[in-house]
Amino acid sequence: MKHFNTMDYDEQITHLHALAKQAARFYGLRDEPTLTAYTNNTVFRVGEYALRVHRPGHKPLKWIESEQVWLSFIRDLNVPKPLGGIYTGTLLGATVYCTAYEWIEGTACEVDALTPDDLYRIGALAAHLHNCADDFTPPPGFERPHYDWDGLFSEESPYHPGDEGMRLFSTEQLTIIQDTTDKIRQAMNRQANGYGMIHADLIAKNILFNGDEVGLVDFDDCAFGYYLYDLTPLLWLSRGTARYVTVKDALWAGYTDIRPGTDGQDLDTFVAARHVASMRWIAGNADHPSLRGKAQTIINTRIDELLKSY
């Protein structure tokens, strides 16, 4: 049998769509699934609901169950409300989990199109999320990864690319990464009080604007982590541009209006943490259709950026 990871994009989507139809029936959804995103996981729209097909072997069932618990706890925010249950299916013999959520209306903006007002509102939404995290007591059995130093950079990290992925880094590149992560460890020690459940992937496509409302989707990467780390994705996407300071100032204004007194001295260092984590993720997903043949070039470019920016 042909391995799923060796298939081209269209072949993969055909199999994923068939699985989505099975999962839709499990949730009692009658509409035809329509593909809306395929990067790490796969998302289909089914009527007024979003159906996520989780990448096989990527997240243990306990983590997915705990994500549902967290989303239920923060349901007063404009975030996906999970439908009950997790569908267990198969994809060419591999166990695959599917989850469903109420669809959130809204439009995502390209990062370059986000205005200072948009960024202010995003910062405020992140602050409200972290206020919820301060009030959250994980129930028994709750398991999500920890994006502390070990969780991001150790061999046990979900971001560890494995032996095959590690071969994409030269000895010199690994030394550069080690020097950077040593600085990150020091910054994390200074930010020990700002730690709790975070979204961990606040990129532009996961932020939806609908009039005065701002919604936040895709909690697949939610984890225990440093609150400053949650502000880094949009800053990282603006790295090396004239907008970096504008993005930073607007996000910080929105965030600190809700959480005044937050210490931001290490924010740029946490952006470097995001940068290193991105390279490790690329190395570990080099066989994804969108990255095949490109991963090495991307890593080389990002190492050069690391040297120049951090």
Side-chain angles (χ1 to χ4, degrees), residues 77-151:
L77 301 179
N78 191 17
V79 299
K81 279 70 173 175
L83 298 184
I86 296 172
Y87 175 71
T88 303
T90 58
L91 188 67
L92 299 181
T95 299
V96 181
Y97 302 114
C98 303
T99 49
Y101 314 84
E102 294 178 12
W103 186 265
I104 292 182
E105 295 293 345
T107 303
C109 296
E110 295 292 335
V111 64
D112 292 343
L114 292 169
T115 67
D117 181 64
D118 294 334
L119 292 159
Y120 178 94
R121 294 160 68 194
I122 294 168
L125 178 59
H128 285 299
L129 180 67
H130 298 162
N131 282 344
C132 291
D134 283 343
D135 294 334
F136 179 63
T137 300
F142 186 91
E143 291 184 15
R144 290 298 300 182
H146 281 260
Y147 290 161
D148 51 13
W149 195 95
D150 287 335

Side-chain angles (χ1 to χ4, degrees), residues 109-284:
C109 296
E110 295 292 335
V111 64
D112 292 343
L114 292 169
T115 67
D117 181 64
D118 294 334
L119 292 159
Y120 178 94
R121 294 160 68 194
I122 294 168
L125 178 59
H128 285 299
L129 180 67
H130 298 162
N131 282 344
C132 291
D134 283 343
D135 294 334
F136 179 63
T137 300
F142 186 91
E143 291 184 15
R144 290 298 300 182
H146 281 260
Y147 290 161
D148 51 13
W149 195 95
D150 287 335
L152 288 173
F153 306 122
S154 75
E155 292 187 0
E156 287 71 40
S157 165
Y159 285 95
H160 190 272
D163 292 342
E164 189 67 28
M166 288 298 292
R167 295 189 182 98
L168 295 176
F169 297 99
S170 69
T171 300
E172 181 182 1
Q173 289 174 337
L174 290 173
T175 299
I176 293 167
I177 289 171
Q178 182 63 56
D179 290 344
T180 303
T181 57
D182 286 345
K183 297 174 184 175
I184 293 166
R185 188 194 294 274
Q186 295 170 18
M188 288 178 171
N189 289 339
R190 289 190 292 268
Q191 296 291 331
N193 292 329
Y195 192 88
M197 281 295 293
I198 61 173
H199 182 276
D201 200 22
L202 272 169
I203 57 177
K205 70 176 184 177
N206 290 335
I207 303 161
L208 304 180
F209 295 88
N210 185 20
D212 292 334
E213 286 193 318
V214 184
L216 187 55
V217 298
D218 192 359
F219 280 74
D220 182 58
D221 287 328
C222 70
F224 295 99
Y226 294 91
Y227 294 153
L228 285 186
Y229 189 72
D230 237 2
L231 299 178
T232 64
L234 291 175
L235 285 167
W236 180 77
L237 290 169
S238 303
R239 68 194 185 281
T241 72
R243 292 195 78 228
Y244 184 88
V245 173
T246 298
V247 173
K248 182 178 179 180
D249 289 348
L251 278 174
W252 194 246
Y255 190 82
T256 53
D257 272 1
I258 305 301
R259 292 178 65 88
T262 302
D263 179 5
Q265 67 169 320
D266 294 312
L267 185 54
D268 290 332
T269 305
F270 276 87
V271 177
R274 178 77 180 186
H275 194 85
V276 174
S278 78
M279 289 188 285
R280 288 162 61 81
W281 188 90
I282 291 290

